[in-house]
């Protein structure tokens, strides 16, 4: 089985910074089900790690992630799953984003190239995002006849507010430039092209120099307050996704994407 995720620890002040590298080596960095599992395991591997205060997540040099892998064999098998099996399989994404959000360590994403769909979902589950000035984001799910899932809408809402979240999600074909993402509050820092990781490490160094226990407790307090009501609504997005995946519009959206043509949606 291919290894998509590598972890390096003991960096930065007092060795309190770790780097998680997700790179499939193909310039696309799509999130196959196996990649989702490996990234979830990577986040969970820090659960009992009191020596690490900050974790920097970096994708490939040309892309953070192209989102869910529509061409992966296991992912394509969703088309033939019964609804019960499908609901279980669809938990892979929310499980990933929740694992990264719930980490005790401060998390920082370094984004180069493009960050699309599930890549955005992963990025907004982190504490901070550093984006190269020539990079862009896009949320294409609605354009594929799906809804934005993985409990991402509440996270985006906290960062950008309701209007910008609707704009980012509903206008599925619109790219969000790095400058727009920074203006909207979707990312916190911009870096020169090719320097997102360096900027993320500089931020990580500053965080790691702070008292570790106070930092961890502060992160937990802020997250609990910010996300206290999220589960009231976000628990249902798996079922919304499952429902949307059964529609003709979803089949048309995916077919159009794979055939590189404009979809023709009919509302059914």
């Amino acid at each position: 089985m291919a290894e998509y995720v590598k972890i390096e620890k003991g960096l930065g002040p007092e060795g309190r910074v770790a780097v998680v590298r997700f790179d499939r080596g193909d310039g696309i960095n799509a999130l196959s089900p196996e990649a989702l599992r490996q990234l979830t395991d990577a986040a969970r591997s820090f659960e009992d790690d009191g020596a690490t205060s900050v974790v920097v997540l970096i994708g490939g040099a040309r892309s953070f992630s192209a989102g869910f892998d529509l061409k992966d064999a296991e992912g394509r098998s969703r088309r033939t799953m019964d609804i019960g099996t499908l609901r279980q399989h669809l938990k892979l994404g929310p499980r990933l984003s929740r694992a990264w959000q719930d980490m005790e360590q401060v998390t920082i994403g370094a984004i180069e190239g493009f960050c699309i769909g599930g890549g955005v979902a992963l990025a907004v589950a982190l504490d901070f995002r550093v984006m190269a000035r020539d990079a862009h984001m896009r949320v294409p799910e609605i354009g594929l006849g799906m809804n934005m899932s993985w409990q991402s809408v509440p996270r985006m809402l906290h960062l950008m507010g309701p209007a910008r979240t609707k704009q980012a999600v509903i206008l599925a074909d619109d790219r969000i430039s790095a400058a727009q993402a920074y203006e909207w509050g979707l990312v916190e820092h911009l870096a020169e092209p090719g320097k997102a990781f360096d900027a993320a490490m500089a931020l990580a160094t500053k965080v790691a120099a702070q008292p570790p226990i106070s930092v961890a407790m502060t992160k937990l307090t802020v997250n609990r307050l910010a996300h206290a009501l999220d589960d009231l609504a976000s628990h249902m997005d798996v079922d919304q996704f499952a429902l949307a995946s059964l529609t003709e519009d979803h089949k048309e959206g995916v077919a159009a994407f794979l055939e590189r043509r404009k979809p023709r949606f009919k509302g059914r």
Side-chain angles (χ1 to χ4, degrees):
M1 186 173 295
E3 183 179 339
Y4 302 137
V5 179
K6 293 183 174 63
I7 300 174
E8 184 178 3
K9 296 185 177 183
L11 307 174
E14 305 299 324
R16 303 199 67 84
V17 178
V19 174
V20 175
R21 299 179 185 273
F22 167 53
D23 190 357
R24 297 184 63 176
D26 58 3
I28 298 175
N29 243 22
L31 291 163
S32 64
E34 179 55 29
L36 296 177
R37 295 185 185 98
Q38 290 186 24
L39 281 164
T40 300
D41 289 344
R44 290 176 173 172
S45 73
F46 289 94
E47 286 178 356
D48 298 317
D49 184 355
T52 301
S53 297
V54 191
V55 178
V56 176
L57 174 62
I58 182 172
R62 290 188 291 163
S63 66
F64 184 75
S65 175
F68 188 75
D69 192 346
L70 294 174
K71 298 180 179 180
D72 179 80
E74 184 182 350
R76 291 201 310 271
S77 71
R78 289 178 173 180
R79 302 174 189 174
T80 58
M81 290 178 182
D82 61 79
I83 190 66
T85 305
L86 178 62
R87 288 185 75 247
Q88 292 303 314
H89 201 268
L90 290 177
K91 291 179 181 179
L92 288 173
R95 191 177 294 141
L96 163 71
S97 56
R98 177 55 69 99
W100 279 89
Q101 177 178 291
D102 287 349
M103 288 174 65
E104 184 170 299
Q105 294 80 9
V106 170
T107 54
I108 304 170
I111 301 170
E112 295 280 355
F114 49 84
C115 179
I116 299 174
V120 176
L122 175 56
V124 298
L126 306 177
D127 295 311
F128 300 104
R129 288 144 293 277
V130 178
M131 191 172 182
R133 294 182 183 276
D134 61 347
H136 71 271
M137 292 182 171
R138 190 162 62 87
V139 184
E141 275 75 3
I142 283 185
L144 295 169
M146 301 181 289
N147 65 303
M148 183 60 172
S149 185
W150 302 7
Q151 299 181 337
S152 304
V153 170
R155 296 183 182 111
M156 296 174 72
L157 185 65
H158 293 311
L159 293 170
M160 300 190 292
R164 291 301 191 194
T165 299
K166 292 173 188 173
Q167 184 173 352
V169 176
I170 293 175
L171 300 180
D173 290 333
D174 285 4
R175 288 186 175 187
I176 304 169
S177 68
Q180 283 178 311
Y182 179 74
E183 179 187 349
W184 293 0
L186 190 53
V187 301
E188 289 72 37
H189 300 275
L190 297 181
E192 294 305 312
K195 298 295 183 180
F197 176 66
D198 293 341
M201 287 297 289
L203 176 59
T205 298
K206 290 181 180 179
V207 174
Q210 304 302 317
I213 296 174
S214 298
V215 169
M217 290 191 297
T218 300
K219 169 179 172 171
L220 179 62
T221 300
V222 172
N223 277 8
R224 288 291 187 268
L225 290 169
H227 301 291
L229 299 178
D230 288 358
D231 283 343
L232 290 176
S234 61
H235 72 279
M236 67 181 69
D237 72 5
V238 166
D239 289 333
Q240 290 176 341
F241 194 97
L243 178 63
S245 70
L246 300 177
T247 63
E248 291 183 20
D249 279 349
H250 171 61
K251 295 181 179 67
E252 167 61 14
V254 172
F257 171 79
L258 295 175
E259 296 166 13
R260 298 185 178 183
R261 60 174 173 80
K262 192 173 181 63
R264 297 180 292 275
F265 296 127
K266 298 179 181 179
R268 58 176 184 250

